[in-house]
Amino acid sequence: MRICLISREFPPDTGWGGIATFTRHLALGLSEIGHEVEVVSLATAEAKTVEQEGIRIHRVEPFKISGDMGAMTKCVPYSRYVLRTTTALWKKFAELHMERPFDIVDTPELLAEGLVPAVTKALPLAIRLYTPHSKFMAERLHNVTPTFDHQFVAIMERIAMVYADAITSPSEDLADFVAADMSYPRERITIIRNPIDAQEFTPDGEKAFESGDKLTVLFVGRLEERKGIGYLIDAVPQVVKAVPNARFVIIGDDTNNARGQKSVRAELDASLRLNGCSAHVEFMGRVPLATLPNYYRAADVCIVPSVYDNSPYTCLEAMSCGRAVVGTAAGGTPEYLGDAGVLIPPKDAEAIAQALIKLLLDKDLRDRLGQAARKRAAEKFDRKEIARQTAQLYEAACTSFISKQPHRLYLKNPQDFLADAEQILYMMDKMIYDLLYAMSWRFRIWHWWTVARRRPLLFAARLGLKAAKLGCRIIGRNEARMPETVRRLEQAIEAKQGASSGQEAMIAR
């Protein structure tokens, strides 16, 4: 089959989490069993096409809205980001599909990356569940609240899922939530687990560091509340008291999800200083995916204290590297860890401390769990096997797509979608801008300041024109009796404004 994977995230450029990791493993797994795979992803800089590990990766920039006035950025930033990136990914996909048609397209449900393929029905669509926006709102994950902006993103995700030809979930837990949230038939969601390359994540190989007489606990993940890092740091003093030679290595990017949208790392550092445990914890930031197995191999115990995770890759990677894992019973983690690790309740620093102390003080138990974890990962989550299951689902989706007339929300030619989307986005932006300008003096001040800063000469000319017209009215001249010099100035300004758009054009008020 010729398969296109659309994913905003793909390593190393935009490899920031589980979606990127999964997409890479799936792309390589499908390629290894004989399928032709191309990936469309976002760029961190300029657009480009590269070949990476035998896979063609097409990097694209977010879609630029003609006449963008920035109103949507202020009012609905998440929705605007979704629409700009989703249309950009579709544009590149459509170009590739026109050159050489794909058999199927596969996208995450998160941020509605499958929205355009779903509403145009240009070809069969498979959507894989990660964590939909409705789950973030229901659980208040990442401080997401049910504002219109977030609700609109959730609606776009649901539309894409309803019109998909196949939906897969990496865990029963997530499938159950989505089915209940959407009143979607649970039997139509196929469970296909996350894949792992057991030859890349293996117990044998180089170690990132030698522990010496230290016992190392490893955490891998973003520093955010959902990953449970705060509960782990709260457990550190108790662990250090029982195991004085324990040390904690924290790998992951900082985020601004702490109280007041401030640095989580700063909050954790303050807590450690208060408890006198700073010397026992090392923060490393993100490390390259290629070297990540070296860090797992160097650890004695790996901890996955997530408040919620549908199927955390750090758990699977640690298992594949033969490490004893402590994970919470939240989300899909128990389905991956099984009886090959230690399960504890979420949001429980005391349970984290007790589980870590027990494992750090019992090497035989660590070894037994590590061996069981490695066996389970290699047998149940092998990349090629998961790719085979996925390819079978693709074939069923293609058969279903061909056998019945696809019901499309967008009835015009799919190639016309971008032009229509651009017009809708621009008009929505203009509507919001007009309303803000009419109702808010603060917005007017911001608008005039922005125009003055970006185009000072045009701004000065416009103010001069307004002053001239005001002076004419004071001496009794109406619009029809304006001096010729004022008319020429107005024409010149309008000509300049006609060549611009967006915020500059708004100064015509």
Side-chain angles (χ1 to χ4, degrees), residues 4 6 40 89-97 102 105 123:
C4 183
I6 297 179
V40 180
L89 295 165
W90 164 260
K91 182 175 184 292
K92 186 61 183 180
F93 163 78
E95 291 173 0
L96 299 170
H97 189 55
F102 291 99
V105 59
L123 77 169

Side-chain angles (χ1 to χ4, degrees), residues 165-178:
D165 299 285
I167 297 180
T168 73
S169 174
S171 70
E172 301 275 358
D173 178 84
L174 183 58
D176 292 342
F177 172 83
V178 169

Side-chain angles (χ1 to χ4, degrees), residues 109-350:
E109 106 286 12
L110 186 66
L111 301 184
E113 291 177 24
L115 178 66
V116 187
V119 299
T120 60
K121 282 294 185 181
L123 77 169
L125 167 66
I127 286 183
R128 182 174 177 85
L129 303 178
Y130 289 90
T131 305
H133 226 63
S134 54
K135 180 70 173 178
F136 283 95
M137 288 187 291
E139 304 289 338
R140 295 295 196 271
L141 303 174
H142 299 311
N143 299 316
V144 171
T145 55
T147 62
F148 170 80
D149 194 13
H150 293 303
Q151 291 280 11
F152 190 62
V153 172
I155 288 170
M156 289 189 283
E157 292 176 348
R158 290 183 181 118
I159 291 172
M161 287 187 276
V162 166
Y163 284 87
D165 299 285
I167 297 180
T168 73
S169 174
S171 70
E172 301 275 358
D173 178 84
L174 183 58
D176 292 342
F177 172 83
V178 169
D181 178 63
M182 294 175 51
S183 295
Y184 190 88
R186 173 61 181 80
E187 63 274 11
R188 289 180 56 187
I189 302 177
T190 304
I191 303 300
I192 299 181
R193 304 295 182 182
N194 278 345
I196 191 74
D197 182 357
Q199 304 307 311
E200 179 182 18
F201 287 86
T202 172
D204 304 314
E206 183 181 347
K207 294 183 178 181
F209 53 83
E210 293 297 333
S211 295
D213 62 346
K214 302 287 186 181
L215 290 171
T216 302
V217 177
L218 179 67
F219 169 94
V220 179
R222 290 183 299 275
L223 305 187
E224 61 187 23
E225 195 270 343
R226 183 166 71 96
K227 298 297 182 180
I229 181 63
Y231 299 100
L232 172 60
I233 296 303
D234 288 344
V236 168
Q238 190 173 344
V239 175
V240 169
K241 183 178 180 180
V243 189
N245 62 333
R247 73 160 175 174
F248 295 77
V249 175
I250 312 296
I251 295 176
D253 286 337
D254 189 14
T255 67
N256 291 322
N257 291 329
R259 298 177 189 87
Q261 300 301 302
K262 295 181 180 179
S263 165
V264 173
R265 167 72 187 275
E267 189 174 79
L268 299 177
D269 279 335
S271 175
L272 289 168
R273 285 194 300 271
L274 185 65
N275 292 313
C277 293
S278 296
H280 291 270
V281 181
E282 180 181 1
F283 292 92
M284 299 193 62
R286 190 195 313 174
V287 303
L289 183 64
T291 61
L292 196 51
N294 301 348
Y295 288 89
Y296 286 114
R297 285 192 284 263
D300 295 287
V301 179
C302 294
I303 174 74
V304 187
S306 303
V307 172
Y308 174 80
D309 251 316
N310 67 69
S311 50
Y313 249 106
T314 182
C315 176
L316 188 50
E317 290 166 349
M319 290 171 63
S320 189
C321 287
R323 288 299 170 263
V325 180
V326 176
T328 61
T333 301
E335 299 173 42
Y336 284 77
L337 194 54
D339 58 0
V342 178
L343 282 172
I344 58 173
K347 300 183 180 182
D348 192 334
E350 173 69 22

Side-chain angles (χ1 to χ4, degrees), residues 227-508:
K227 298 297 182 180
I229 181 63
Y231 299 100
L232 172 60
I233 296 303
D234 288 344
V236 168
Q238 190 173 344
V239 175
V240 169
K241 183 178 180 180
V243 189
N245 62 333
R247 73 160 175 174
F248 295 77
V249 175
I250 312 296
I251 295 176
D253 286 337
D254 189 14
T255 67
N256 291 322
N257 291 329
R259 298 177 189 87
Q261 300 301 302
K262 295 181 180 179
S263 165
V264 173
R265 167 72 187 275
E267 189 174 79
L268 299 177
D269 279 335
S271 175
L272 289 168
R273 285 194 300 271
L274 185 65
N275 292 313
C277 293
S278 296
H280 291 270
V281 181
E282 180 181 1
F283 292 92
M284 299 193 62
R286 190 195 313 174
V287 303
L289 183 64
T291 61
L292 196 51
N294 301 348
Y295 288 89
Y296 286 114
R297 285 192 284 263
D300 295 287
V301 179
C302 294
I303 174 74
V304 187
S306 303
V307 172
Y308 174 80
D309 251 316
N310 67 69
S311 50
Y313 249 106
T314 182
C315 176
L316 188 50
E317 290 166 349
M319 290 171 63
S320 189
C321 287
R323 288 299 170 263
V325 180
V326 176
T328 61
T333 301
E335 299 173 42
Y336 284 77
L337 194 54
D339 58 0
V342 178
L343 282 172
I344 58 173
K347 300 183 180 182
D348 192 334
E350 173 69 22
I352 292 173
Q354 292 303 319
L356 290 177
I357 291 169
K358 181 178 181 180
L359 285 172
L360 291 173
L361 294 178
D362 192 337
K363 185 177 184 306
D364 289 341
L365 178 59
R366 294 201 306 269
D367 290 344
R368 287 199 305 274
L369 289 177
Q371 291 167 9
R374 168 64 184 179
K375 184 174 184 292
R376 181 175 173 82
E379 289 180 354
K380 292 186 175 295
F381 310 111
D382 176 72
R383 187 163 76 188
K384 289 184 180 179
E385 175 55 30
I386 299 301
R388 276 191 286 269
Q389 294 175 22
T390 305
Q392 289 175 358
L393 184 75
Y394 289 166
E395 290 171 0
C398 290
T399 300
S400 174
F401 181 86
I402 294 170
S403 65
K404 59 187 180 184
Q405 181 69 28
H407 178 63
R408 295 190 293 161
L409 282 177
Y410 184 80
L411 300 179
K412 294 167 66 176
N413 189 316
Q415 301 306 316
D416 297 331
F417 184 87
L418 280 179
D420 287 346
E422 182 178 24
Q423 178 68 9
I424 291 171
L425 290 176
Y426 170 68
M427 294 310 297
M428 182 177 180
D429 196 31
K430 185 177 184 303
M431 175 190 70
I432 295 173
Y433 206 103
D434 288 345
L435 179 63
L436 289 173
Y437 192 91
M439 301 298 291
S440 170
W441 280 104
R442 287 181 60 189
F443 188 81
R444 287 195 186 198
I445 293 169
W446 171 84
H447 157 75
W448 282 75
W449 168 249
T450 301
V451 175
R453 187 163 43 87
R454 292 187 178 180
R455 300 197 67 182
L457 294 179
L458 180 61
F459 177 75
R462 194 68 194 177
L463 285 183
L465 177 62
K466 284 184 176 292
K469 284 188 172 185
L470 179 61
C472 289
R473 292 191 187 99
I474 290 173
I475 63 175
R477 291 197 177 193
N478 59 24
E479 195 74 24
R481 298 172 57 211
M482 289 289 169
E484 187 61 28
T485 53
V486 174
R487 291 183 184 281
R488 284 201 298 267
L489 176 59
E490 186 170 29
Q491 290 170 359
I493 290 173
E494 288 175 353
K496 278 287 186 183
Q497 284 182 171
S500 65
S501 61
Q503 293 166 350
E504 295 86 351
M506 290 292 294
I507 201 69

